[in-house]
């Protein structure tokens, strides 16, 4: 049975993206290396940045591999990183800092709040050793969308590095990367570009990349070494996920065909608003009341009746939908994503399945 994945990645892909993977490619082949170079340039175009100021580096592995490649090979021994946390993925960056024995501080707020520029400014003013800020843009733990503009302005004022995990946002919401002066932006092949899992990518300011080329603590995740090899002709250092690359190449074409990032954002936003409206009518309340992102929503377990998530999950799966369990640390909830090859008619059908759930539920 085919399912609609209502998750923040992996997500539901188009038939043509799946079909693109039905070809075997050699990693040394010039055509394949040319595709890699086209992808690198296209990602710069989507970010609205020039190849003189930025470059794109593709890295084998999931999005977390990409984040770790930045934290493990671009942070120097004298750097002090301020990690902004309001969910599991911010905490994952903290875990990377701990594992690499980096100098770091944590600014953490509740999972339904966003990091505030005013608080960060006080921290930066009080500790002049801080040289970098790392944060998540779309925190899929809850579905909250953190604001970047005011924090970006602080990074300029205080001349600190700006690292943004834009895993679940890049390609799905307009973002002026150059104006935000982001030094390292990380995303993944299986998110808003609507490809399949297999590699992450980093948009890097060339100036910072060159200055930090000797800081790598691992071989496989050495971002600069990957850049040097890829810059020559598009060759990846080690075996690349060829089928994933071909799927991503097709997905980029389909993003263009849809009308680009803004049109995709409008589709996601429409899906999300419709989902929250219809779920509200059924009595399901969202965890996030402010700063809700357009990608995924956390819904609280209903309190007016007994609720068994596994039973609920299986009912949805039997009717063609797969969702995520909750990830909020303090309350019981589940998550429904609305990105990927998902349209308003899919949301309408999902809500009918959920509406029918009470008729088939036999929760002890």
């Amino acid at each position: 049975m085919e399912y609609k994945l209502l998750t923040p990645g992996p997500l539901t892909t188009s038939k043509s993206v799946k079909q693109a993977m039905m070809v075997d490619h050699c990693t040394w082949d010039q055509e394949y290396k040319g595709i890699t170079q086209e992808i690198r340039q296209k990602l710069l175009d989507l970010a609205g940045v020039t190849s003189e100021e930025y470059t794109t580096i593709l890295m084998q592995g999931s999005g977390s591999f990409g984040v770790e490649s930045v934290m493990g090979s671009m942070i120097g021994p004298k750097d002090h990183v301020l990690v902004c946390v309001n969910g599991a993925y911010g905490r994952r960056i903290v875990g990377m800092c701990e594992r690499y024995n980096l100098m770091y501080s944590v600014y953490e707020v509740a999972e339904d709040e966003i990091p505030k520029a005013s608080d960060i400014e006080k921290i930066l003013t009080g500790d002049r050793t801080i040289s970098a800020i790392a944060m998540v843009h779309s925190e899929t733990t809850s579905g909250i969308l953190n604001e970047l503009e005011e924090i970006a302005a602080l990074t300029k004022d205080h001349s600190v590095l700006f690292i943004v995990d834009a895993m679940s946002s890049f390609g799905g919401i307009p973002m002026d990367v150059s104006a935000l002066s982001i030094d390292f932006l990380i995303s993944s092949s299986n998110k808003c570009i609507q490809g399949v899992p297999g590699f992450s990518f980093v948009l890097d300011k060339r100036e910072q990349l060159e200055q930090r080329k000797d800081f790598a603590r691992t071989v496989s995740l050495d971002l600069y070494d990957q850049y040097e090899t890829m810059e020559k002709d598009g060759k990846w250092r080690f075996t690349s996920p060829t089928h994933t690359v071909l799927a991503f190449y097709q997905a980029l074409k389909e993003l263009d065909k849809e009308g680009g990032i803004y049109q995709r954002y409008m589709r996601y936003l429409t899906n999300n608003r419709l989902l929250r409206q219809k779920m509200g009518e059924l009595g399901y309340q969202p965890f996030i009341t402010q700063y809700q992102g357009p990608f995924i929503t956390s819904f609280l377990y209903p309190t007016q009746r007994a609720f068994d998530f596994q039973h609920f999950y299986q009912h949805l799966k039997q009717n063609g939908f797969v969702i995520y369990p909750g990830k909020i640390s303090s309350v019981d909830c589940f998550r429904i994503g609305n990105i990927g090859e998902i349209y308003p008619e899919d949301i309408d059908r999902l809500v009918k399945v959920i509406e029918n759930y009470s008729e088939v539920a036999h929760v002890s």
Side-chain angles (χ1 to χ4, degrees):
M1 181 177 179
E2 290 189 2
Y3 309 110
K4 292 281 186 178
L5 297 182
L6 299 179
T7 58
L11 38 65
T12 300
T13 56
S14 68
K15 290 183 179 179
S16 46
V17 165
K18 296 179 182 71
Q19 186 66 34
M21 293 187 287
M22 301 301 290
V23 177
D24 297 322
H25 251 299
C26 169
T27 57
W28 289 86
D29 182 72
Q30 286 300 325
E31 180 185 356
Y32 177 74
K33 289 191 287 186
I35 289 171
T36 296
Q37 295 292 53
E38 284 189 55
I39 288 173
R40 294 178 69 207
Q41 181 57 51
K42 181 58 181 175
L43 290 171
L44 293 180
D45 295 342
L46 289 175
V49 297
T50 67
S51 57
E52 289 75 29
E53 186 181 11
Y54 283 85
T55 188
T56 309
I57 306 170
L58 313 182
M59 181 64 70
Q60 295 94 326
S62 71
S64 292
F65 285 63
V67 175
E68 188 163 343
S69 73
V70 173
M71 301 307 296
S73 62
M74 291 288 113
I75 302 299
K78 296 182 180 179
D79 280 315
H80 179 176
V81 185
L82 176 64
V83 186
C84 302
V85 176
N86 64 337
Y89 298 98
R91 285 191 286 273
R92 187 171 295 176
I93 297 175
V94 173
M96 293 172 187
C97 291
E98 291 175 346
R99 185 62 59 92
Y100 287 114
N101 200 28
L102 304 179
M103 188 187 306
Y104 73 95
S105 297
V106 178
Y107 163 52
E108 185 165 5
V109 298
E111 290 165 322
D112 60 350
E113 297 178 9
I114 63 171
K116 296 180 177 63
S118 56
D119 292 341
I120 294 172
E121 183 163 30
K122 290 176 184 176
I123 295 170
L124 294 176
T125 302
D127 190 343
R128 298 291 184 180
T129 68
I130 294 173
S131 59
I133 291 176
M135 65 179 292
V136 176
H137 185 205
S138 171
E139 180 53 88
T140 54
T141 298
S142 63
I144 203 165
L145 187 70
N146 293 324
E147 295 182 345
L148 297 179
E149 287 78 6
E150 291 184 0
I151 297 174
L154 284 178
T155 65
K156 293 179 186 177
D157 293 343
H158 291 264
S159 299
V160 299
L161 205 66
F162 196 21
I163 301 166
V164 177
D165 173 341
M167 209 63 60
S168 298
S169 60
F170 183 79
I173 191 169
M175 189 186 311
D176 193 334
V177 174
S178 185
L180 292 168
S181 197
I182 298 173
D183 295 286
F184 298 97
L185 180 146
I186 310 103
S187 193
S188 176
S189 60
N190 60 294
K191 299 290 186 175
C192 295
I193 305 294
Q194 298 186 181
V196 300
F199 71 89
S200 55
F201 55 87
V202 186
L203 300 177
D204 319 71
K205 268 193 182 173
R206 287 183 182 272
E207 179 184 8
Q208 291 296 340
L209 184 65
E210 291 289 345
Q211 288 178 7
R212 296 166 178 275
K213 63 182 179 181
D214 299 321
F215 294 159
R217 296 164 178 82
T218 69
V219 173
S220 297
L221 296 179
D222 185 338
L223 197 64
Y224 187 83
D225 198 25
Q226 183 89 330
Y227 159 74
E228 269 202 317
T229 303
M230 199 163 277
E231 193 75 354
K232 293 173 185 174
D233 62 359
K235 180 73 172 63
W236 301 55
R237 285 181 304 159
F238 311 127
T239 302
S240 65
T242 52
H243 298 85
T244 297
V245 171
L246 297 177
F248 191 74
Y249 188 52
Q250 175 63 27
L252 285 170
K253 294 178 183 178
E254 293 179 13
L255 175 58
D256 275 342
K257 186 176 180 180
E258 186 169 350
I261 290 175
Y262 181 75
Q263 290 303 321
R264 181 156 293 178
Y265 164 64
M266 291 306 298
R267 173 163 63 87
Y268 288 169
L269 187 63
T270 299
N271 287 345
N272 187 265
R273 286 176 174 172
L274 181 63
L275 173 67
R276 289 187 289 121
Q277 175 197 332
K278 295 286 189 180
M279 288 292 283
E281 291 170 1
L282 295 181
Y284 291 90
Q285 298 304 312
F287 174 70
I288 298 298
T289 56
Q290 276 188 300
Y291 311 110
Q292 170 67 52
F295 310 112
I296 187 170
T297 304
S298 291
F299 290 100
L300 301 170
Y301 282 10
T303 56
Q304 65 270 30
R305 61 182 182 275
F307 182 81
D308 184 297
F309 173 74
Q310 285 302 323
H311 192 265
F312 180 69
Y313 178 90
Q314 289 301 327
H315 171 76
L316 267 58
K317 187 174 180 181
Q318 289 166 9
N319 286 276
F321 295 100
V322 173
I323 65 171
Y324 261 13
K327 209 173 176 74
I328 304 298
S329 59
S330 58
V331 295
D332 290 326
C333 61
F334 58 87
R335 293 175 292 165
I336 300 179
N338 55 261
I339 64 176
E341 196 69 2
I342 300 295
Y343 296 87
E345 52 266 32
D346 297 307
I347 302 298
D348 285 332
R349 190 163 65 87
L350 167 73
V351 172
K352 288 180 182 177
V353 170
I354 294 175
E355 186 176 14
N356 293 335
Y357 173 67
S358 59
E359 300 174 12
V360 299
H362 300 287
V363 183
S364 59

